[in-house]
Amino acid sequence: MQVVSGHTLLSDLNGGKGVDTMGSIVIVDSKGNKGIVTMSDDIRTVGDLIRAISGNGGASVVAEINPAGDGIRIIDNAGGTETMTISEGDSYSTMASDLHFLQPAEKKNIYGSGNIRDVIDGSMTYNLSITEKDTLTTIVEKLNGMGMGIEASIFNDGGSKPYRLMISGGRTGEAAKLTVDLSALGMTQEVMNEARDAVVVYGDINAKNSVMLTSSTNIIKNAVPNINIEIKGSSTSPVTVSTESSSSEIKTSIKSYVENINKFFEVYLEATYSDPENDEYGALFSDSTTRNLYRDLTNMITEKFSNKKTGVESLMQLGVKINAETRLLEFDEETFDALYKENAAGIREFFIKTTVVDIDKDGKPVEKQVGFAAKYTEMAERYTAIKDGALGYKYETLQRKIEEGADREEYLQARLDAKTVFLYKKFIFMETTLAKLQKSMSAVQGIATGSTGS
């Protein structure tokens, strides 16, 4: 049964868990050619991803829906002698794993042509091997250990054959539907609760201009711009929803920001520690990249952004400050609450302020984000960008130095070994020469003793 097509959203794969939208994969074909595919806003469907993989510009491969219709398979087209491989593009990516590509390539006869090629099949189907020694308990253990995001359990219904296997999905919504085939076990199955999306009709249900809103959870995001609706129950009659401004989501985001920045600061302070009196220094004490990142992060907290119209110009006004003793961030919620009560619009403008930078061909203004969020993203990109980020470049530099150090070590070890052999030979020569001299001296001494006796 085909469950994946070119129109399937990547966000619907893996039972609604989706695919890493910031990730990348590295494909190396059978001739050693390397291609990199990086996720972007333009890659939203399975079809988009198939085109991106097939046109990666490096590795000679073809991507397509697999014959089972439950995933994407990659076919090597290079015709080389090596084995095609697929790996994550960096240590933070889970894209290859999400697409089920992290597996050895198999040799397969493609299209019945007799042309054997390397194939990696990212099937979304999980197969469970069961032997005659398995029990219901061991089957449950195997199911829970497959990493599918499901929960298997046993329950007793009190009948003549009371024990039943129950499988529950770990996610909600239409995309999280499970298709389970237990026919090989001689079991029958019954759907007790089918996965489905939450549905809300916005407007008069009988009107032509009403809008149906759906969500995989009970929260409809952006039902009205910047407003989320949480569904508490079903209703056959209209429900009126009123809204009021709340600071809880912004406060949660600021708390998370402070917590994550402090994690970096703690590592930074330890790694750049210095004690000149005892000649003790941290591993990154003299590293300029690390110090520049620390400087830029602290500047983001203390710097004022041009926002005089609304009066909120810095994080410090929101209650975020640096403790002079610990050098860590603190968040004063009372300061934030007071400012939010007085100037909620100013806080919003501080984070997502826009400015008109151009006019398009239709005469519409082209806006650019210039608020704190945009500035922070711009700063972070300078360090984390995949191609030319400062941290990636630093990592490559350190890796190169490690490799050069290893090569240098091998070179020095070879020289040391050669020197050892040379000195050993020298020692043998000197010892042999000394033995000959001793022998000669003994002979001379014998001659001298004989002459004296005469």
Side-chain angles (χ1 to χ4, degrees), residues 39-221:
M39 288 293 288
S40 69
D41 293 340
D42 296 328
I43 303 177
R44 300 186 57 194
T45 67
V46 169
D48 294 334
L49 182 58
I50 285 175
R51 285 186 287 274
I53 293 174
S54 298
N56 69 84
S60 179
V61 298
V62 171
E64 62 181 21
I65 303 293
N66 65 9
D70 64 353
I72 301 172
R73 73 173 180 178
I74 312 297
I75 304 169
D76 178 76
N77 256 358
T81 57
E82 300 177 19
T83 301
M84 177 181 66
T85 62
I86 300 178
S87 59
E88 301 289 2
D90 56 60
S91 58
Y92 303 103
S93 173
T94 61
M95 181 179 171
S97 174
D98 294 339
L99 293 167
H100 299 205
F101 287 162
L102 295 182
Q103 55 178 296
E106 296 182 3
K107 302 288 185 183
K108 289 190 176 182
N109 185 351
I110 301 300
Y111 314 126
S113 62
N115 188 1
I116 305 300
R117 305 184 192 180
D118 284 348
V119 176
I120 292 180
D121 193 333
S123 169
M124 298 285 172
T125 297
Y126 291 80
N127 296 307
L128 180 65
S129 298
I130 297 175
T131 68
E132 59 185 9
K133 294 182 180 180
D134 276 311
T135 64
L136 201 55
T137 298
T138 60
I139 291 174
V140 166
E141 291 173 351
K142 286 183 177 181
L143 285 169
N144 288 332
M146 293 181 72
M148 292 177 59
I150 64 170
E151 181 180 349
S153 59
I154 301 171
F155 76 98
N156 187 333
D157 68 357
S160 58
K161 296 180 179 180
Y163 297 106
R164 297 177 180 272
L165 172 66
M166 183 166 67
I167 302 175
S168 303
R171 286 176 286 274
T172 59
E174 183 78 16
K177 277 186 177 180
L178 292 174
T179 301
V180 182
D181 182 4
L182 300 176
S183 59
L185 298 177
M187 290 184 175
T188 58
Q189 59 197 56
E190 177 184 352
V191 178
M192 300 176 64
N193 188 26
E194 188 172 6
R196 57 184 181 271
D197 288 341
V199 180
V200 170
V201 176
Y202 181 44
D204 185 350
I205 193 170
N206 297 313
K208 293 182 179 180
N209 60 350
S210 62
V211 178
M212 182 178 290
L213 306 175
T214 63
S215 172
S216 60
T217 69
N218 283 341
I219 296 178
I220 308 289
K221 294 185 177 181

Side-chain angles (χ1 to χ4, degrees), residues 13 17 27 31 56 76 111 113 129 132 148 150 160 174 186 191 250 258 298 303 336 349 370 376 421 442:
L13 296 180
K17 178 184 175 183
I27 306 172
K31 285 189 176 180
N56 69 84
D76 178 76
Y111 314 126
S113 62
S129 298
E132 59 185 9
M148 292 177 59
I150 64 170
S160 58
E174 183 78 16
V191 178
I250 300 177
V258 168
T298 52
E303 182 180 348
F336 176 85
E349 183 79 1
V370 293
Y376 185 85
V421 172
S442 296

Side-chain angles (χ1 to χ4, degrees), residues 19 24 33 81 108 134 136 146 160 176 185 215 225 231 285 289 321 337 364 383 418 447:
V19 175
S24 61
N33 302 311
T81 57
K108 289 190 176 182
D134 276 311
L136 201 55
M146 293 181 72
S160 58
L185 298 177
S215 172
I231 303 171
F285 170 70
T289 302
K321 60 182 181 179
D337 289 337
K364 296 180 180 180
Y383 290 94
I447 294 172

Side-chain angles (χ1 to χ4, degrees), residues 200-376:
V200 170
V201 176
Y202 181 44
D204 185 350
I205 193 170
N206 297 313
K208 293 182 179 180
N209 60 350
S210 62
V211 178
M212 182 178 290
L213 306 175
T214 63
S215 172
S216 60
T217 69
N218 283 341
I219 296 178
I220 308 289
K221 294 185 177 181
N222 288 315
V224 177
N226 301 313
I227 294 179
N228 300 336
I229 297 176
E230 183 177 1
I231 303 171
K232 296 293 188 178
S234 60
S235 173
T236 56
S237 58
V239 175
T240 301
V241 179
S242 58
T243 64
E244 62 179 19
S245 181
S246 172
S247 65
S248 59
E249 190 171 346
I250 300 177
K251 284 171 66 173
T252 300
S253 297
I254 294 177
K255 287 178 183 177
S256 177
Y257 171 80
V258 168
E259 181 182 339
N260 288 321
I261 292 296
N262 279 340
K263 288 179 181 178
F264 168 76
F265 281 2
E266 287 171 353
V267 174
Y268 169 82
L269 293 173
E270 180 181 350
T272 58
Y273 165 82
S274 65
D275 182 2
E277 292 185 4
N278 296 310
D279 196 27
E280 295 180 355
Y281 300 92
L284 298 175
F285 170 70
S286 60
D287 183 68
S288 60
T289 302
T290 308
R291 291 189 175 278
N292 288 341
L293 176 56
Y294 176 76
R295 179 202 63 208
D296 287 343
L297 286 171
T298 52
N299 285 345
M300 291 296 297
I301 298 159
T302 59
E303 182 180 348
K304 283 191 174 184
F305 296 85
S306 179
N307 203 24
K308 295 181 180 180
K309 183 178 178 180
T310 57
V312 182
E313 299 181 279
S314 74
L315 277 180
M316 296 183 72
Q317 283 181 264
L318 301 180
V320 179
K321 60 182 181 179
I322 301 175
N323 186 302
E325 294 183 5
T326 64
R327 297 172 67 184
L328 299 178
L329 299 188
E330 295 177 347
F331 178 42
D332 185 344
E333 293 189 43
E334 292 184 1
T335 298
F336 176 85
D337 289 337
L339 180 63
Y340 188 87
K341 186 176 181 180
E342 176 186 337
N343 192 4
I347 293 177
R348 181 178 183 279
E349 183 79 1
F350 169 74
F351 283 108
I352 60 172
K353 180 182 178 181
T354 60
T355 185
V356 176
V357 295
D358 200 358
I359 302 296
D360 65 17
K361 61 181 181 180
D362 297 323
K364 296 180 180 180
V366 177
E367 295 184 337
K368 177 183 178 182
Q369 292 274 353
V370 293
F372 177 85
K375 294 291 185 182
Y376 185 85

